[in-house]
Amino acid sequence: MGIAFDAAPDRPEHIEAILNGLDRYNPETTTIFQDYVTQQCEDRTYDCYANLALLKLYQFNPHLTRDEPVTNILVKALTVFPSPDFSLCLHLLPPHILSPPPSSSPGSSAPDTPLAEAVTKLAHLNALLEQCAYRDFWDALDADDLFADLVADVSGFEELVRVRIAVTVGQGCRAVDRGVAEGWLNLQGKEFEAFVEEICGWGVGVDGVVSVPVNKENEAKGTVVREEVRFEQFGRVVRRAYEQPA
């Protein structure tokens, strides 16, 4: 049985009480949720359900919206890809923040506000992760100083994303060229070897190939397709062929 969408093992009791009661829609709880977002950024926990509740409060009370919690929520959502969390958060933001559309190139047109620009750029990073363009993701992250400011509040951002990339790669690959893997993880040399061997449990061969152990996701399995045709169906086909005029 899967984990419930609203589950968060590290959620404090007072946040749990708010989410399960009428105070969830009380504007006065906005500051409590904002502090909780800050806590998640500092201690590397994650609570999508609570973060969506804060964005919903902003939706009902636009005058309470603060840019920093919004961008921090989106940055935290990047660290749990390929989950749909980032898209869920985007859909709770007002239209004027989503202009230009997230699918547009970051340089296609200038957003009206700093928050809109930040959201557009973060959406571009999310699109690169969804496309498995991991090397492009790291290049984009390093190329724009704004990203350094946006991810600064999220402790261990690069490490968290790197682990998610490794998990995704491990689900679809059994062997990867070392140069390609280094680009995907944005690590080289001894740092790369330490990460893939100690954190991922992969092997680095002298032939320049990184081997990923077999797991239930990347194991090749044969599929046998069986079609069952009942005698009655076969009889109808024969009868129709017999009854057709020559």
Side-chain angles (χ1 to χ4, degrees), residues 19 24 33 48-58 92:
L19 290 173
R24 173 177 180 159
F33 280 121
C48 180
Y49 196 53
N51 295 345
L52 291 174
L54 175 58
L55 295 180
K56 197 68 176 179
L57 283 171
Y58 285 160
L92 288 179

Side-chain angles (χ1 to χ4, degrees), residues 189-203:
K190 296 297 183 181
E191 288 185 326
F192 171 79
E193 293 175 3
F195 180 82
V196 297
E197 292 176 352
E198 298 173 13
I199 304 300
C200 305
W202 301 350

Side-chain angles (χ1 to χ4, degrees), residues 14-244:
H14 70 285
I15 298 295
E16 185 75 34
I18 293 173
L19 290 173
N20 291 328
L22 294 178
D23 276 341
R24 173 177 180 159
Y25 303 100
N26 184 349
E28 295 181 0
T29 62
T30 300
T31 55
I32 298 176
F33 280 121
Q34 288 172 168
D35 291 341
Y36 185 39
V37 172
T38 301
Q39 178 184 335
Q40 294 174 56
C41 293
E42 293 174 350
D43 58 20
R44 302 194 186 190
T45 57
Y46 181 68
D47 192 337
C48 180
Y49 196 53
N51 295 345
L52 291 174
L54 175 58
L55 295 180
K56 197 68 176 179
L57 283 171
Y58 285 160
Q59 193 177 54
F60 291 152
N61 308 276
H63 63 287
L64 297 177
T65 303
R66 288 180 53 198
D67 293 2
E68 187 175 324
V70 172
T71 56
N72 282 344
I73 287 173
L74 293 176
V75 173
K76 288 293 290 184
L78 287 176
T79 66
V80 295
F81 91 97
S83 75
D85 293 14
F86 191 93
S87 296
L88 291 174
C89 293
L90 277 188
H91 282 81
L92 288 179
L93 299 181
H96 72 275
I97 294 178
L98 299 177
S99 180
S103 58
S104 300
S105 173
S108 59
S109 59
D112 296 333
T113 67
L115 179 57
E117 180 183 9
V119 170
T120 300
K121 288 182 176 293
L122 291 174
H124 177 60
L125 288 185
N126 182 65
L128 292 175
L129 290 174
E130 289 182 338
Q131 297 163 12
C132 299
Y134 304 134
R135 183 186 290 271
D136 293 339
F137 167 83
W138 295 113
D139 289 343
L141 186 66
D142 294 337
D144 195 328
D145 291 339
L146 178 60
F147 286 130
D149 295 333
L150 292 174
V151 306
D153 291 340
V154 180
S155 175
F157 171 76
E158 292 191 8
E159 180 182 348
L160 292 170
V161 172
R162 189 172 288 117
V163 168
R164 294 305 305 169
I165 291 175
V167 170
T168 305
V169 171
Q171 291 174 339
C173 299
R174 293 278 298 278
V176 185
D177 178 80
R178 173 168 179 159
V180 174
E182 288 180 337
W184 286 349
L185 298 175
N186 198 34
L187 292 173
Q188 288 79 37
K190 296 297 183 181
E191 288 185 326
F192 171 79
E193 293 175 3
F195 180 82
V196 297
E197 292 176 352
E198 298 173 13
I199 304 300
C200 305
W202 301 350
V204 181
V206 293
D207 57 352
V209 176
V210 178
S211 57
V212 181
V214 177
N215 57 66
K216 65 178 182 180
E217 301 293 340
N218 68 10
E219 183 180 8
K221 298 179 180 179
T223 302
V224 178
V225 179
R226 299 181 60 183
E227 295 186 5
E228 296 184 0
V229 179
R230 296 193 299 273
F231 179 79
E232 295 81 359
Q233 293 175 307
F234 180 74
R236 285 196 295 269
V237 172
V238 174
R239 187 163 55 251
R240 283 199 301 269
Y242 177 78
E243 293 174 351
Q244 288 180 352

